[in-house]
Each structure stands twice: as C-alpha cells, then as structure tokens.
Amino acid sequence: MGIINFQGKRNNPPEKEKEPILVSDYMTKKLITFKEGQTIEEAINILINNKISGGPVVNDNNELVGIISEGDCIKQISDSRYYNLPIENSTVGRAMVKEVQTIDGDTNILDAANKFLQSRRRRFPIVQNGKLVGQISQKDVLIAAMKLKGNTWK
C-alpha cells in the first residue's frame, strides 16, 4: 500500500522580493572630520592616532568642502622639505582635494563597488541636503559583500 497524502496540493512559498542592500546600510556615520584651518601636523596626528588613511573636511555648518588623505599630507611634507619651508604653515585647506566625488546613500552597494573600481578612490562621502551624513569605504563594501554571500552566492 502506498502513502496517501491528505494535505492537499502544496503551493510553493512565494519568493521574497530581494531588497537592495544600500550604501546607507553600511556607511560609517560616526566620522572623524577635519577643518580647513587645521595644520597638516594636526591632521597627520589624527590620521595616525585613529589608524585611518583620510577623511572629509567640513566647514562650521557640517558641509563637505574637501577630503584630506595620507597622500596629501605626504605631499605637503615633501614640498616643505624640498622648498625648505616650515610645515607648520601648511593647512588642511591648502592640502586637501577640493573637487570631491560623493555617492548617494540610496545607491545599491554593488553599484558603489563598481564606482570604487572605476574611480580608484578609497572612500566616498555621503551628503544629504547639503550636509555630510556618512562615508562609505572599500572595506564597508567588502563587509556588505560577505553578508550578500550568504543570501545569493552558491
């Protein structure tokens, strides 16, 4: 005698719509920021003490005005040695990159990964209503990718 199933027709469970994983889900919100008037020495100390490679430069209204990186600081040190000028006169405002590419917090994390590959940047600030609200780094994208792995990679 065979097995009789009295449960009736089984429907396949409805597939969940996959929600996109957004930059805002993985961005860093507690940022170490810099001011244009800070000296390069102050910036270097902040970078070293916080083990970061750069950060956004904001004005008093928390509006993004630039980005300062280790490379920008090294260039200032090199220039001061070459031209025999005191580094104390160098400021973040003079050394920072002023034309900053930003990324929207509602961007899919995989699109952000492509933007990192195309631009060769290490970080992108996120600006909302003119104010700095966060930053996404390559490491943040890697963290998101590892969480995606459990859902979609085979």
Side-chain angles (χ1 to χ4, degrees):
M1 177 169 184
I3 299 174
I4 300 174
N5 183 347
F6 293 105
Q7 294 180 4
K9 182 180 173 187
R10 293 185 189 176
N11 293 328
N12 291 336
E15 286 189 32
K16 294 181 187 174
E17 275 189 37
K18 293 183 181 169
E19 294 180 25
I21 296 180
L22 305 177
V23 165
S24 58
D25 297 333
Y26 288 92
M27 70 182 186
T28 302
K29 295 175 185 163
K30 293 181 181 179
L31 296 175
I32 296 167
T33 59
F34 299 86
K35 299 285 185 183
E36 289 182 87
Q38 284 180 295
T39 66
I40 288 298
E41 285 183 325
E42 286 178 286
I44 291 170
N45 283 325
I46 291 169
L47 293 173
I48 291 169
N49 293 334
N50 292 286
K51 298 179 182 171
I52 57 175
S53 62
V57 182
V58 295
N59 63 17
D60 292 333
N61 296 323
N62 201 41
E63 296 167 332
L64 182 68
V65 295
I67 290 233
I68 189 80
S69 69
E70 291 170 325
D72 299 326
C73 294
I74 289 170
K75 183 174 182 335
Q76 290 300 305
I77 292 169
S78 176
D79 287 351
S80 77
R81 298 297 186 257
Y82 183 79
Y83 296 110
N84 199 24
L85 297 171
I87 195 166
E88 294 85 24
N89 297 338
S90 296
T91 63
V92 168
R94 285 181 32 203
M96 70 183 185
V97 173
K98 294 178 180 141
E99 292 188 25
V100 180
Q101 290 182 10
T102 62
I103 196 166
D104 190 81
D106 292 332
T107 302
N108 183 300
I109 201 78
L110 298 175
D111 293 333
N114 283 332
K115 191 166 181 175
F116 276 112
L117 291 172
Q118 293 167 356
S119 69
R120 306 194 55 89
R121 301 247 187 265
R122 296 177 78 177
R123 69 194 62 78
F124 286 110
I126 292 106
V127 177
Q128 191 174 46
N129 299 324
K131 308 285 185 195
L132 179 69
V133 294
Q135 176 175 278
I136 188 87
S137 69
Q138 290 180 353
K139 188 176 289 183
D140 297 327
V141 171
L142 292 175
I143 291 168
M146 292 311 291
K147 290 198 178 175
L148 273 174
K149 175 184 173 190
N151 296 330
T152 59
W153 292 357
K154 294 184 180 187

